[in-house]
Amino acid sequence: MATSVSASPFLGTWVGEDHALFHAKAAPQPLVPAKRRPVRGRPMMKNVNEGKGIFAPIVVTTRNIIGKKTFNQLRGKAIALHSQVITEFCKSIGADSKQKQGLIRLAKKNGEWLGFLA
């Protein structure tokens, strides 16, 4: 059923299919809430090697006694000294830089395994 609209205000009713069609077009689309990402907690800066390895308890106890800053300075000096020893060893046997890098990586893996990086 079609209803005509004249210049005067419409005083009739919408019935049947025209009424449903009017509401389908005129009704605002429901707002879909935006998907929010789950709120993540602040990342913890924790050593993944803590508690692993035979020397880990000694390393953790030393760090707690002398303080984190002093401990990290001491650890940095020890790592630098060990890298120098590896470099001198590579020079004495005539190893190239790739072999030296491999030895330094191996030393790091061994240090993690033994607990020196706890």
Side-chain angles (χ1 to χ4, degrees):
M1 269 191 207
T3 307
S4 63
V5 178
S6 62
S8 64
F10 176 71
L11 299 175
T13 60
W14 290 88
V15 291
E17 294 175 15
D18 290 338
H19 180 69
L21 186 63
F22 173 75
H23 280 294
K25 288 184 180 179
Q29 296 295 326
L31 295 177
V32 178
K35 290 185 180 181
R36 293 185 180 175
R37 295 191 316 188
V39 177
R40 289 178 28 182
R42 190 175 174 127
M44 301 255 322
M45 299 299 287
K46 186 175 180 185
N47 192 345
V48 295
N49 296 313
E50 191 166 334
K52 295 180 182 176
I54 192 167
F55 294 106
I58 297 169
V59 172
V60 171
T61 303
T62 305
R63 181 179 61 218
N64 291 339
I65 291 171
I66 66 173
K68 224 177 201 181
K69 184 177 179 181
T70 307
F71 178 78
N72 285 337
Q73 289 172 344
L74 181 65
R75 176 186 277 173
K77 288 178 184 177
I79 291 171
L81 181 63
H82 194 232
S83 294
Q84 287 176 355
V85 170
I86 292 171
T87 301
E88 291 300 318
F89 173 75
C90 288
K91 283 182 185 177
S92 68
I93 64 169
D96 63 351
S97 62
K98 276 194 170 186
Q99 289 173 323
K100 181 180 84 169
Q101 283 179 339
L103 286 174
I104 290 173
R105 286 191 182 119
L106 180 62
K108 183 178 179 191
K109 283 183 184 177
N110 286 337
E112 288 175 356
W113 183 73
L114 290 171
F116 288 121
L117 300 179

